[in-house]
Amino acid sequence: MNKFKHFLSTRLGFLTLLVFTLWLKTIIAYYSDFSLGVADPLQHMILLINPIATTLVLLSIALYITRSKPSYIVMGIIYLLESALLYGNVLYYREFSDFLSFNTIAGASKVSKGLGGSAAGLVQGHDFIYGLDIVIIIILLMTHFIKIDSRPMHKLTAVATTMLGVFLFSFNLTVAESNRPQLLGRTFDRAYIVKYLGLNTFLAYDSIRTVQNNQVRSEAVGTDMDDVLADVEKNYAKPNAKYFGKAKGKNIIIIHLESFQQFLINDKVNGQEVTPFLNSLYNDKNTMSFDNFYHEVGQGRTSDAENMLETGLFGLPEGSLFTKLGSDNTFQAAPSILGQKEGYTSAVFHGNTGSFWNRNSVYKNMGYNYFFDESYFNKTSDSSLEFGMKDKLMLSESVKYLEQLQQPFYAKFITVTNHYPFQLPDEDKDSFTAPNTSNSTVNGYFETAHYLDNSLKEFFSYLKSSGIYDNSMIVLYGDHYGLSNSQNPDLAPLLGVDSNDWTDFNNSQMQKVPFMIHMKGLKGGINHTYGGEIDVLPTILHLAGIKTKQYIQLGTDLLSKQHNPIVIFRNKNFVTPHYTVLKSSDGDPEVYRNKTGELVDLEKDPILKKKVTKWQKYVNDKLKLSDTINNKNLLRFYTPSGFTPVNPKDYDYQNEIQKLVKTRDDLGLKSTSVYSQNNNKTTTNLYTTDAPELNGDRTNIDSWSSILKNDTAKDSK
């Protein structure tokens, strides 16, 4: 005991005590107040070590102060600031399911208003833990159980302490990167940085990123929009009169097919169709199906696809626009355009945490009225995989909210089961037999795609039986590739290609993803037009009867006779209706014929060489223009006629159930929700699913009154 007391009475011992107590209450916050999605033993280990390094580095600053009392005072101030930051995050997370950022702290008065002017309602019984340590340390000092060490501190000890913190941080970062590659580069989720590197690192990272963004934006002026407006006007493709307004007044349902590639359509394995339902939809006379449609995402992957779909602008060359710029950027996005022009109610359904890809902030800037993340679903230990709820469960539970939306609605469903590493539990498998290649990831990809297909079949059955189908346009698209280039050679034999003959051209063909527009009476067919995700927004808006000429959109309507068929990849490669142009290792273009896949010798075809140079300039200029708009947030300088810029403060995703019911009740007989039109009776009983987790028990989705009761209680916590 005396040795311990003596150690605490040294400056290094006191610092150790502060590090330990800060570590302890941080771990308590991680597990009791934050939802960090810790999925495996390694992540638990990372969570246990990540508070130590930065705390040690910060507190070691005091060791460089020669005089003892000032050194202790500095340690105390740093400790109090760290404690305040931790508890501030606890309160903020309870209200917003997010962490304190640089901008949030800088606008502390706004945070206070956001918390309702007082945080008292957010305080919970166990919160005394976050201040108990401070009281104990003060008592220990006042009773002289811990004495002030007046001896001078060796500079070498101070340096060694700092270096120990740096070493621990390097170790922490290395282990984190092994578990989640490109953690800081792609920034999937703000919660991921906290989970892997801690609150201090998150705040430092966010601060650096904010300063960089602000520097770029501070240099922007309104005249920077001149080139943008000129380009948009020059490349505008007017709508096809045959299709313009074809879906006017219809609900628009977007189904985001996670990692779903075009080759799966009409494909068979062991004599069985991989996706029989999607095949039937793809070939349906009421479906406009595109067989030369490409994903155009970069490192932002799913978030890039969403960004292009919603805003008509490309993602960033590095990282995710959603996480880097999405919280602050001004958008002219589909939800706000449809809402302001045609009175659409908008909603997103996603069985993952709302902070993933920063969606809970970005959707507000886009003008989404509702966002139903995993907190609005009956999530259990067996209902989810790594990236969220299984599709059958998410879709079946979503309808209890969908039927309450005022029509017309714009609703997006983000599926996740067909996500890498493509591992489907045995209980979710049916008679479908997966291929038996040497690559388990390839084999699993077919199984999860088949599961997704079954999920969609159940969902469409509900749409038809509830009557929603007859008044809706349903858009399905694949967001990005599922199998990477390194796995494609193992896939090749299943596509009838010898692995040794697989080329970069074949890899580029794997960027094809499905794009289908399905609507009763559409009179579709297989459309061979070349296009990509950047072209979706103007296509949808024109079908809805909304003119897009005044909006800043870099794609063109796929159904327009003036559509530009050059498909731009984020890495500056591109595809035209006849050629695929890829950068070689030395930077020169490699040009392949789309029909044969053969490599063209440009030196023998000077006319084509000249065209390729012209096309490449167009591609480079278009990507540069998009990056300028995004990085400088230029849309704040331009407001289309009749459009009101979105104010994210008008949106709050914490009390969605009450908002739905209040809107319905306020409208009374004027309510257009499916629930209201069904004589205030739920339609969820029309949803049939064979999800084994439900085991035939539908009590969690059948009674709207019980849903309201349970979810109101949840939201009021």
Side-chain angles (χ1 to χ4, degrees):
M1 183 65 178
N2 287 333
K3 289 184 178 180
F4 177 67
K5 181 178 179 181
H6 176 72
F7 176 68
L8 292 181
S9 295
T10 66
R11 215 181 301 186
L12 200 58
F14 186 65
L15 180 145
T16 302
L17 174 64
L18 298 185
V19 170
F20 172 75
T21 51
L22 263 176
W23 170 83
L24 182 60
K25 59 186 181 181
T26 300
I27 295 302
I28 292 172
Y30 281 172
Y31 283 100
S32 65
D33 290 296
F34 302 148
S35 179
L36 299 178
V38 184
D40 56 53
L42 181 59
Q43 290 183 10
H44 282 285
M45 185 195 80
I46 293 171
L47 206 67
L48 290 173
I49 66 174
N50 80 37
I52 300 174
T54 54
T55 302
L56 191 59
V57 170
L58 289 172
L59 288 173
S60 72
I61 294 172
L63 299 181
Y64 292 90
I65 300 174
T66 304
R67 296 171 59 192
S68 60
K69 286 187 178 180
S71 178
Y72 275 84
I73 290 173
V74 170
M75 265 193 279
I77 291 173
I78 293 173
Y79 186 79
L80 289 174
L81 289 174
E82 285 284 273
S83 297
L85 176 65
L86 173 63
Y87 191 54
N89 269 290
V90 168
L91 294 179
Y92 191 77
Y93 192 89
R94 286 173 186 166
E95 179 67 12
F96 299 107
S97 298
D98 203 354
F99 300 96
L100 289 170
S101 65
F102 175 86
N103 284 333
T104 305
I105 294 173
S109 61
K110 297 178 182 178
V111 175
S112 177
K113 292 178 182 177
L115 292 174
S118 172
L122 300 173
V123 175
Q124 296 182 4
H126 71 270
D127 287 3
F128 73 90
I129 293 173
Y130 297 115
L132 180 62
D133 57 308
I134 297 174
V135 175
I136 292 174
I137 290 172
I138 291 174
I139 292 173
L140 291 176
L141 287 169
M142 291 180 65
T143 59
H144 299 291
F145 184 89
I146 296 178
K147 298 178 181 179
I148 302 297
D149 186 0
S150 60
R151 294 173 300 173
M153 174 65 65
H154 292 294
K155 285 287 195 288
L156 187 60
T157 302
V159 172
T161 305
T162 303
M163 293 309 296
L164 175 60
V166 172
F167 169 77
L168 289 174
F169 180 79
S170 300
F171 173 74
N172 183 179
L173 181 60
T174 300
V175 176
E177 280 286 337
S178 70
N179 191 255
R180 174 55 67 189
Q182 295 181 297
L183 175 63
L184 296 177
R186 291 177 61 191
T187 321
F188 303 85
D189 184 346
R190 294 150 78 94
Y192 270 42
I193 298 180
V194 174
K195 177 170 71 173
Y196 285 104
L197 300 176
L199 287 166
N200 289 330
T201 303
F202 164 73
L203 184 58
Y205 173 81
D206 180 75
S207 300
I208 293 171
R209 189 190 65 182
T210 300
V211 170
Q212 290 174 338
N213 292 342
N214 290 343
Q215 177 63 34
V216 172
R217 293 171 187 215
S218 66
E219 299 171 356
V221 293
T223 53
D224 289 340
M225 276 298 299
D226 292 347
D227 290 340
V228 175
L229 291 169
D231 181 88
V232 170
E233 182 177 1
K234 176 183 177 182
N235 294 287
Y236 172 71
K238 65 181 182 180
N240 187 326
K242 179 181 177 182
Y243 293 101
F244 184 76
K246 192 77 173 177
K248 187 175 180 65
K250 297 277 190 180
N251 299 317
I252 300 175
I253 299 175
I254 308 293
I255 301 179
H256 176 110
L257 305 175
E258 172 64 41
S259 304
F260 199 97
Q261 293 170 262
Q262 176 68 18
F263 75 82
L264 290 167
I265 298 295
N266 293 328
D267 189 34
K268 289 185 177 182
V269 172
N270 299 319
Q272 296 174 295
E273 290 182 280
V274 182
T275 57
F277 175 72
L278 281 173
N279 295 346
S280 66
L281 199 66
Y282 182 81
N283 297 293
D284 192 290
K285 64 179 182 180
N286 293 313
T287 303
M288 180 73 73
S289 302
F290 292 81
D291 60 356
N292 289 308
F293 183 86
Y294 293 78
H295 79 74
E296 299 170 286
V297 307
Q299 292 180 351
R301 305 268 293 206
T302 296
S303 66
D304 280 0
E306 284 193 78
N307 180 63
M308 284 182 278
L309 174 80
E310 307 285 15
T311 73
L313 298 176
F314 290 98
L316 299 176
E318 295 179 354
S320 164
L321 183 142
F322 269 32
T323 55
K324 285 189 173 183
L325 305 174
S327 296
D328 305 310
N329 267 20
T330 300
F331 295 108
Q332 295 170 13
S336 54
I337 295 172
L338 287 163
Q340 293 182 32
K341 290 295 183 181
E342 296 293 332
Y344 276 75
T345 303
S346 53
V348 182
F349 301 87
H350 184 38
N352 200 347
T353 177
S355 60
F356 197 85
W357 286 128
N358 197 30
R359 288 184 175 103
N360 51 4
S361 292
V362 179
Y363 288 161
K364 293 176 183 177
N365 281 347
M366 288 183 170
Y368 266 109
N369 301 119
Y370 300 93
F371 177 27
F372 299 96
D373 68 356
E374 67 176 8
S375 65
Y376 287 93
F377 298 105
N378 184 30
K379 185 179 180 182
T380 60
S381 58
D382 62 347
S383 67
S384 299
L385 301 177
E386 183 176 356
F387 289 94
M389 286 187 70
K390 297 174 187 178
D391 297 337
K392 288 184 180 181
L393 300 175
M394 187 274 289
L395 290 171
S396 65
E397 272 205 75
S398 293
V399 302
K400 66 187 178 186
Y401 306 124
L402 183 68
E403 69 172 0
Q404 296 292 332
L405 293 177
Q406 296 301 310
Q407 300 182 91
F409 53 71
Y410 174 75
K412 178 168 65 176
F413 295 83
I414 303 176
T415 64
V416 298
T417 305
N418 191 47
H419 194 297
Y420 181 84
F422 314 115
Q423 294 175 348
L424 191 67
D426 288 340
E427 62 267 22
D428 292 303
K429 298 176 183 179
D430 59 15
S431 60
F432 175 76
T433 304
N436 187 28
T437 72
S438 59
N439 189 321
S440 60
T441 300
V442 172
N443 300 339
Y445 181 62
F446 287 86
E447 288 184 320
T448 52
H450 183 72
Y451 175 91
L452 169 58
D453 185 72
N454 283 333
S455 305
L456 296 174
K457 181 180 179 180
E458 294 176 351
F459 183 61
F460 266 75
S461 178
Y462 163 77
L463 293 178
K464 291 181 177 179
S465 59
S466 65
I468 295 176
Y469 173 87
D470 291 333
N471 189 40
S472 300
M473 176 175 72
I474 306 166
V475 178
L476 304 94
Y477 80 108
D479 62 340
H480 53 72
Y481 65 86
L483 298 176
S484 64
N485 288 351
S486 62
Q487 292 157 339
N488 284 339
D490 294 318
L491 171 69
L494 297 175
L495 304 181
V497 181
D498 190 295
S499 298
N500 296 321
D501 296 330
W502 195 267
T503 67
D504 288 339
F505 171 76
N506 295 113
N507 284 332
S508 71
Q509 293 298 292
M510 291 294 101
Q511 289 194 226
K512 285 186 179 182
V513 293
F515 180 58
M516 301 178 233
I517 304 171
H518 180 82
M519 185 176 68
K520 190 175 181 180
L522 180 62
K523 294 182 181 180
I526 308 299
N527 191 311
H528 304 301
T529 299
Y530 276 72
E533 289 162 337
I534 198 71
D535 303 312
V536 173
L537 181 58
T539 305
I540 291 175
L541 292 180
H542 284 171
L543 282 164
I546 298 175
K547 296 179 180 179
T548 62
K549 190 172 185 179
Q550 63 178 334
Y551 298 105
I552 306 303
Q553 298 169 2
L554 300 187
T556 55
D557 183 351
L558 289 162
L559 301 173
S560 171
K561 296 177 181 178
Q562 298 173 347
H563 167 68
N564 190 327
I566 297 178
V567 182
I568 299 173
F569 296 155
R570 184 58 260 196
N571 62 2
K572 298 181 181 179
N573 291 339
F574 62 93
V575 175
T576 74
H578 301 291
Y579 300 98
T580 294
V581 181
L582 310 174
K583 289 276 177 54
S584 64
S585 57
D586 59 8
D588 292 330
E590 290 183 341
V591 181
Y592 296 86
R593 297 189 192 277
N594 291 343
K595 281 188 176 182
T596 63
E598 65 176 318
L599 191 62
V600 179
D601 187 347
L602 287 183
E603 297 306 320
K604 295 181 179 179
D605 193 340
I607 296 178
L608 178 59
K609 184 177 182 180
K610 186 176 180 180
K611 287 182 179 180
V612 169
T613 301
K614 180 181 177 181
W615 292 332
Q616 188 68 67
K617 183 179 185 306
Y618 169 82
V619 168
N620 294 348
D621 289 348
K622 193 67 71 173
L623 290 171
K624 182 179 179 182
L625 190 71
S626 180
D627 293 341
T628 300
I629 295 170
N630 288 324
N631 288 322
K632 293 187 175 183
N633 192 20
L634 292 185
L635 293 188
R636 61 190 156 132
F637 297 122
Y638 171 72
T639 302
S641 175
F643 180 79
T644 302
V646 173
N647 183 355
K649 296 178 183 177
D650 294 338
Y651 302 91
D652 175 15
Y653 301 139
Q654 297 297 312
N655 302 290
E656 304 293 61
I657 313 304
Q658 292 91 322
K659 286 190 295 181
L660 281 172
V661 175
K662 185 178 186 304
T663 300
R664 184 193 73 201
D665 291 346
D666 287 347
L667 288 170
L669 295 176
K670 295 182 180 179
S671 174
T672 60
S673 70
V674 173
Y675 180 87
S676 298
Q677 294 181 346
N678 195 41
N679 297 318
N680 292 336
K681 294 180 181 178
T682 185
T683 63
T684 58
N685 58 307
L686 300 175
Y687 203 111
T688 302
T689 176
D690 63 3
E693 294 83 2
L694 294 178
N695 194 27
D697 179 11
R698 303 189 51 77
T699 55
N700 66 318
I701 60 175
D702 279 351
S703 171
W704 177 255
S705 59
S706 65
I707 292 164
L708 177 59
K709 180 180 177 181
N710 294 336
D711 284 330
T712 300
K714 172 182 73 68
D715 282 336
S716 65
K717 288 182 180 180

